[in-house]
Structures are given as C-alpha cells and as structure tokens.
Amino acid sequence: MSSIDTQRFREALLEERRRVEHALATLRDEHPGSLDEEVEEIAATSDNHLAETATATLGREIDYTLGENSGEVLVQIDAALKRIDDGTYGTCTNCDNEIPVQRLEAYPWASLCIDCKRQAEH
Ligand SMILES: [Zn+2]
C-alpha cells in the first residue's frame, strides 16, 4: 500500500483541472487572433514598434504556451485521476518506483519518476 494521501491529490487535480479549463476558455474568448496578426498590427501602427512588439510577443508567448500545453495537461490530469481510482497513483508508470511526494506536490499529474522523466526528455 502506498502512503500517499490520494484524497488530497485528487482535490488538487480537480482544482487544477478547473483552472486549466478556465484558462483555455479565457484564451479562446480573449485571443481569437493569431500572434502574427497582432505583432504586424502593432508594428504597422506604432512609432516605437520594437519595444511594443516585444511586449506583445512576450505576453502572447506565455498565453500561447499555456494554450499549447493545457490540452496535454488536461489529458495527464485525467490519467492521474484514473490512477487514483486504480490505486496506482504515485507509482512511476515506467519503472514502478514510487514518485517522490515533493514531485507530486509540484506536478500532481506526474506519471513518471524523476529518473524516467529525465530519460524521456533525452
Ligand atoms: Zn520511473
């Protein structure tokens, strides 16, 4: 048996899920256009366009990253909730080692231990 308090992580996952869904909905409402259009628009209308372009790009990059990753995070959150139901939550899906609780607190949807995660990234 695992010593992990899955109820706590279930709540954290459900809350994160709501947050991501809300962020995705907000993104769709507030930013229907593409980044390219926005940058071109500012560049065409502003004398000081370099600085403003950089600002717009920076702000959009953060949103864009969120939008790009949010769908993936939602999938991982759902998978993690399923692992709680299955009783396999907190166990690395690759090597069956326990995932450190500190890692789960940072990433409640983590499915890999740190070693496997590192390997997956290389
Ligand atoms: Zn592992």
Side-chain angles (χ1 to χ4, degrees):
M1 278 300 287
S2 162
S3 59
I4 291 170
D5 180 359
T6 51
Q7 182 58 35
R8 188 161 65 91
F9 285 108
R10 185 195 297 274
E11 280 165 18
L13 283 161
L14 288 172
E15 183 167 337
E16 184 68 15
R17 198 176 194 289
R18 275 193 298 272
R19 203 180 67 79
V20 171
E21 280 182 335
H22 178 75
L24 280 174
T26 305
L27 272 182
R28 276 193 295 268
D29 290 347
E30 289 182 359
H31 304 290
S34 77
L35 175 62
D36 285 348
E37 284 167 19
E38 186 171 311
V39 170
E40 275 170 25
E41 197 176 302
I42 292 167
T45 56
S46 170
D47 290 329
N48 188 25
H49 59 81
L50 268 181
E52 287 197 25
T53 303
T55 307
T57 305
L58 186 64
R60 179 58 67 85
E61 245 169 37
I62 293 164
D63 286 350
Y64 193 65
T65 306
L66 181 63
E68 282 266 289
N69 293 336
S70 293
E72 176 69 16
V73 169
L74 276 186
V75 169
Q76 294 190 22
I77 288 172
D78 283 345
L81 287 167
K82 187 171 183 304
R83 288 197 300 279
I84 289 179
D85 290 338
D86 292 345
T88 58
Y89 183 76
T91 304
C92 176
T93 56
N94 187 54
C95 71
D96 285 343
N97 281 335
E98 268 188 33
I99 300 172
V101 170
Q102 300 94 302
R103 174 159 165 72
L104 291 172
E105 277 170 359
Y107 305 101
W109 54 85
S111 62
L112 295 173
C113 68
I114 291 165
D115 286 346
C116 290
K117 174 74 176 159
R118 282 209 189 106
Q119 279 173 24
E121 282 172 354
H122 287 297

